[in-house]
Amino acid sequence: MITKLTDLQKLALDTYKGTVQKYSKEEAENAIRNAIIDACGGEWNFYNFQKNKWDVYQVIRELLSVGTGELLVDKFNRFADIRDVELGDNPEFLVEDTSLFRVASIANGNTDIRRQKLYDKKLIVPVEKLAIKIYEELDRFIAGRIDWNKMIDRVRLSFGNGIALRIFNAIHSSYDSLTAPFKEQGTFDEGKLLDMVAHVEASTGQAAAVFGTKKALSNIKVDDASDAMKDEFNSIGFYGVFRGTELIQLPQAHIPGTYNFAIDDNFLLVVPNGERIVKVVLEGDAYVYDTPPGSRNDEQIEFFFGRKAGVGVLLADRFGIYKVA
């Protein structure tokens, strides 16, 4: 993540996390709002904005650059490695070879056996430009009726949601690249899930956890559930632990502009604890610019927000996917 933060970014980050110490949350939000007004020349009006808009966009860029990664960390820290890098950097992720060496049976005095070596791999995540364009009526803009704080938060949430969808899609589409016994499909079978968990743990040497939406995790049932387990199921919608394996809920979301769920509710992901199978790269700062009024025939003013980002998945025997029919 970004390590060198400006004072404004630190304030914005603390405000988002609810950890502001010097100010109340309202005072912190006002401080951010005042930073935008100060960049506009100390008083909001259309002509001040036109004169100082690049300073205003600089403030917005700072706020957007620090927020996106933090949104992702909060949601996906258990299985995603998220890196903020400088523009032009091309980070390599080391994929450790966890194979065990074969032990040979040899005669006394003989050392003539095949040498073995572990072969680590490298993953480079390609990035692409992700962007949002919004517009506002010129009269509302001139009147200063745009709440920049809310707009920045909405853009930040939208970017975070867009990258989250890419994370889910990358994992979901990796199913076809997996091989048995790391892929299962069909009616839920307790034994098959237990086997998959055991294979993931045997391949990585780490305890595994099962991720899924609340509805997906509710597919996991045991015949001999205790009264306490039944109460837990009724309370949170799924068992917290399945035969010693932790079950972790993934937040469901809507595909923007629809009421369709973004995450497959019949999809169980088995991942070793501490193994971040998803690699996310946020490259460079956000960039902001506008389409000036007068360049359109309807006097609307457009704002363009963009940032480079990429998502990759480690396609190795490190995780399993169970599609429950």
Side-chain angles (χ1 to χ4, degrees):
M1 302 302 296
I2 295 175
T3 55
K4 296 181 180 180
L5 302 179
T6 65
D7 290 339
L8 180 61
Q9 287 177 323
K10 291 177 183 177
L11 180 60
L13 196 54
D14 289 343
T15 303
Y16 166 71
K17 291 184 173 181
T19 57
V20 181
Q21 296 179 356
K22 293 184 179 180
Y23 310 96
S24 68
K25 187 175 186 297
E26 183 178 354
E27 288 172 335
E29 290 175 347
N30 286 335
I32 295 172
R33 187 175 292 106
N34 289 336
I36 295 174
I37 295 175
D38 289 343
C40 194
E43 179 184 357
W44 175 267
N45 63 61
F46 178 72
Y47 299 103
N48 274 355
F49 175 81
Q50 291 300 321
K51 181 179 178 180
N52 301 287
K53 66 179 180 181
W54 294 112
D55 291 333
V56 175
Y57 291 159
Q58 168 69 12
V59 173
I60 295 175
R61 178 195 66 80
E62 289 184 43
L63 297 173
L64 287 177
S65 296
V66 73
T68 307
E70 291 299 325
L71 286 172
L72 297 173
V73 167
D74 286 350
K75 289 184 178 180
F76 306 111
N77 191 48
R78 292 290 296 266
F79 62 85
D81 186 3
I82 301 163
R83 295 193 190 178
D84 264 307
V85 301
E86 298 296 331
L87 186 65
D89 285 355
N90 199 7
E92 293 182 344
F93 296 90
L94 182 65
V95 184
E96 183 182 358
D97 186 348
T98 58
S99 303
L100 296 179
F101 295 116
R102 295 182 180 181
V103 179
S105 179
I106 61 174
N108 289 335
N110 177 29
T111 63
D112 188 18
I113 61 175
R114 175 178 293 182
R115 297 180 302 170
Q116 300 174 66
K117 186 181 185 305
L118 295 179
Y119 292 93
D120 295 337
K121 299 179 181 179
K122 293 180 180 179
L123 173 67
I124 297 177
V125 179
V127 297
E128 60 181 337
K129 289 183 178 180
L130 303 181
I132 298 172
K133 182 184 285 188
I134 65 175
Y135 73 94
E136 185 55 85
E137 300 298 335
L138 183 61
D139 286 347
R140 281 179 48 82
F141 181 77
I142 293 175
R145 293 182 179 177
I146 295 179
D147 188 324
W148 288 95
N149 267 11
K150 288 185 178 179
M151 184 188 71
I152 292 169
D153 285 341
R154 186 63 57 87
V155 170
R156 183 165 49 218
L157 288 169
S158 299
F159 264 101
N161 185 68
I163 297 174
L165 293 180
R166 284 165 170 79
I167 291 174
F168 292 129
N169 290 336
I171 295 174
H172 197 274
S173 62
S174 69
Y175 178 84
D176 293 335
S177 300
L178 296 175
T179 58
F182 298 96
K183 58 189 299 186
E184 288 288 351
Q185 188 170 9
T187 304
F188 176 74
D189 184 293
E190 180 180 343
K192 290 181 179 180
L193 181 57
L194 286 173
D195 286 344
M196 182 180 292
V197 169
H199 282 298
V200 170
E201 293 180 341
S203 295
T204 62
Q206 302 174 60
V210 179
F211 294 81
T213 64
K214 179 184 288 189
K215 186 175 180 180
L217 294 176
S218 71
N219 287 308
I220 300 177
K221 303 287 180 57
V222 295
D223 294 332
D224 57 347
S226 66
D227 289 340
M229 292 175 66
K230 293 177 181 177
D231 289 341
E232 181 180 41
F233 192 98
N234 186 56
S235 176
I236 65 174
F238 55 90
Y239 304 125
V241 177
F242 167 69
R243 304 299 190 193
T245 298
E246 185 181 8
L247 306 185
I248 303 172
Q249 181 181 347
L250 291 175
Q252 184 58 276
H254 284 138
I255 297 174
T258 75
Y259 292 115
N260 298 323
F261 287 132
I263 309 173
D264 188 345
D265 277 325
N266 298 308
F267 181 88
L268 299 172
L269 175 66
V270 182
V271 180
N273 275 323
E275 185 72 33
R276 291 179 169 85
I277 63 169
V278 179
K279 308 299 180 182
V280 181
V281 174
L282 301 170
E283 182 182 327
D285 292 324
Y287 49 97
V288 186
Y289 61 86
D290 67 272
T291 301
S295 60
R296 298 171 53 91
N297 59 8
D298 54 11
E299 285 197 324
Q300 291 173 345
I301 183 170
E302 297 177 343
F303 296 93
F304 181 95
F305 307 88
R307 194 175 189 192
K308 286 188 174 183
V311 177
V313 178
L314 300 180
L315 295 180
D317 296 340
R318 294 172 176 266
F319 67 96
I321 294 176
Y322 196 143
K323 289 185 176 182
V324 184

